Amino acid sequence: MQKIDEIIQGFLRDLNCDIVLNMSKSIKTGKKLRSKLILSISGENEESYKLCAIIELIHLASLLHDDIVDDAKLRRGARSVNSEFGTKNALMLGDIFYSKAFSELVGFGKKISQLIADSVSKLAIGELMDIELSKNFNADKSLYLDMIYNKTAVLIEASARSAAILASLDDLSFREYGKNLGLAFQMIDDILDISSDEKTLGKAAMSDFKEGKSTLPYIYLYEALDDKNILLDFFKKDLNDIEKKSLLDEFNKHGILEKSKKEALSYGNKALKAIEKYNNKKLNDIIENMINRSF
């Protein structure tokens, strides 16, 4: 992963802008799921490393814009760029990351370039869908699935498919793997927002609901409750510890988190089924680690 960070820093130094380098230093690059996926499919070589760096730069750009939309103060336990440097600077830094990533992407040829570019368009659409759904409580699971596919899964899907093209493998099988991995990944994120704590998450627990996000566990809880107002009265509210415990008790009472995790696991199994003929242990381990993670 250090090699990928070095390539990203090289991309940014090419821009010859100290402001960009200074702001970039404050960003934690995270788990690099997409890079691990690419390297597990196409192997470790200079071309794969460069593709990883491009994808990570795109992902970082999307997070910068996401934090602006959510007015997030923290990202992975540290101050967000918009909190530390201001919204305008964070917005422009995201645009710079996107632009630089696309300028490097053209070297990979038309098919991969189009795949990644299309995924970024859908990613932005996913963000718009998320904003729209956040206006009111959303109890429609199909709308939630459409939104997380675009906002999260589509870039993971494109990463897997592009890596398969580099390795001359069946890219459609790996598209299915990436899509289902991405859906499962977001579902686990949504569960952890409820079940984990601020120290582990790097942000306040149950912050999704405060921001108006009706994620899968909340949709399932809404379906299970006779008195829907038990949940709706908390929507977009800054909950205190007593209110959070009350809500968590309802999740536990109705077995909602276990039900949600079971659904995430079903998507993980779909991902494994799509590429079972390759018997790739690294890709199997990615699914297992992603499902059983604590942050």
Side-chain angles (χ1 to χ4, degrees):
M1 297 301 107
Q2 183 180 349
K3 171 77 171 176
I4 296 163
D5 284 337
E6 289 171 358
I7 296 172
I8 292 173
Q9 288 304 307
F11 287 166
L12 300 181
R13 283 193 298 271
D14 289 345
L15 299 171
N16 195 29
C17 179
D18 290 340
I19 299 172
V20 169
L21 292 174
N22 184 45
M23 286 195 290
S24 300
K25 288 177 183 176
S26 68
I27 300 174
K28 291 187 176 180
T29 55
K31 295 181 281 290
K32 290 191 175 66
L33 169 66
R34 294 150 194 83
S35 291
K36 292 172 183 175
L37 180 57
I38 290 168
L39 296 177
S40 296
I41 296 170
S42 60
E44 298 184 27
N45 53 69
E46 291 303 313
E47 195 172 34
S48 296
Y49 281 130
K50 186 174 182 181
L51 181 61
C52 289
I54 290 167
I55 294 293
E56 294 298 337
L57 202 54
I58 288 171
H59 179 56
L60 290 174
S62 74
L63 295 181
L64 287 168
H65 288 177
D66 192 39
D67 284 346
I68 293 169
V69 170
D70 294 339
D71 194 25
K73 305 302 179 186
L74 294 175
R75 166 64 65 178
R76 298 172 180 142
R79 288 182 67 187
S80 62
V81 173
N82 51 295
S83 174
E84 186 169 357
F85 296 100
T87 299
K88 293 178 182 179
N89 283 344
L91 176 64
M92 295 312 302
L93 186 63
D95 288 349
I96 290 166
F97 282 6
Y98 274 132
S99 300
K100 181 58 177 172
F102 281 125
S103 71
E104 297 293 338
L105 182 60
V106 296
F108 280 87
K110 184 176 180 179
K111 187 171 183 178
I112 289 178
S113 296
Q114 285 186 332
L115 273 177
I116 302 299
D118 181 60
S119 73
V120 174
S121 296
K122 289 178 180 175
L123 192 157
I125 289 170
E127 188 69 63
L128 281 175
M129 294 171 70
D130 193 20
I131 294 168
E132 190 65 25
L133 289 176
S134 297
K135 291 179 179 178
N136 300 289
F137 182 85
N138 170 53
D140 189 332
K141 180 181 167 183
S142 65
L143 293 178
Y144 163 79
L145 289 174
D146 286 345
M147 184 273 291
I148 67 168
Y149 167 70
N150 284 287
K151 188 176 177 182
T152 301
V154 72
L155 186 59
I156 296 174
E157 175 187 77
S159 299
R161 192 175 178 189
S162 297
I165 292 169
L166 285 182
S168 299
L169 301 175
D170 175 17
D171 62 292
L172 297 183
S173 295
F174 286 92
R175 179 184 68 182
E176 284 302 301
Y177 175 90
K179 173 186 175 180
N180 288 295
L181 168 62
L183 292 171
F185 180 85
Q186 186 58 56
M187 288 177 185
I188 294 296
D189 255 16
D190 294 342
I191 293 167
L192 292 175
D193 178 79
I194 297 166
S195 64
S196 198
D197 54 43
E198 182 171 348
K199 183 178 180 181
T200 305
L201 289 173
K203 63 175 183 176
M206 296 189 179
S207 60
D208 284 349
F209 208 49
K210 177 186 173 183
E211 294 166 4
K213 301 180 190 298
S214 311
T215 58
L216 185 65
Y218 293 102
I219 293 171
Y220 279 154
L221 181 59
Y222 181 84
E223 293 173 353
L225 289 170
D226 291 325
D227 182 2
K228 312 298 186 187
N229 288 326
I230 292 174
L231 178 61
L232 296 179
D233 286 347
F234 288 149
F235 185 61
K236 288 191 175 183
K237 184 178 178 182
D238 191 2
L239 304 181
N240 59 40
D241 290 342
I242 295 174
E243 290 168 328
K244 287 181 179 179
K245 184 180 183 305
S246 172
L247 194 51
L248 187 59
D249 287 344
E250 292 294 337
F251 279 116
N252 291 331
K253 176 183 175 181
H254 295 280
I256 299 301
L257 299 183
E258 291 81 1
K259 181 179 180 180
S260 300
K261 186 169 182 179
K262 184 177 180 181
E263 177 137 358
L265 183 59
S266 74
Y267 280 98
N269 288 332
K270 287 180 185 178
L272 293 176
K273 182 72 174 176
I275 50 104
E276 63 181 349
K277 66 182 178 182
Y278 292 100
N279 195 27
N280 187 321
K281 185 179 184 303
K282 289 182 179 179
L283 295 180
N284 294 352
D285 289 346
I286 285 175
I287 294 289
E288 182 178 349
N289 294 335
M290 180 274 302
I291 293 287
N292 296 315
R293 63 196 165 94
S294 59
F295 63 95

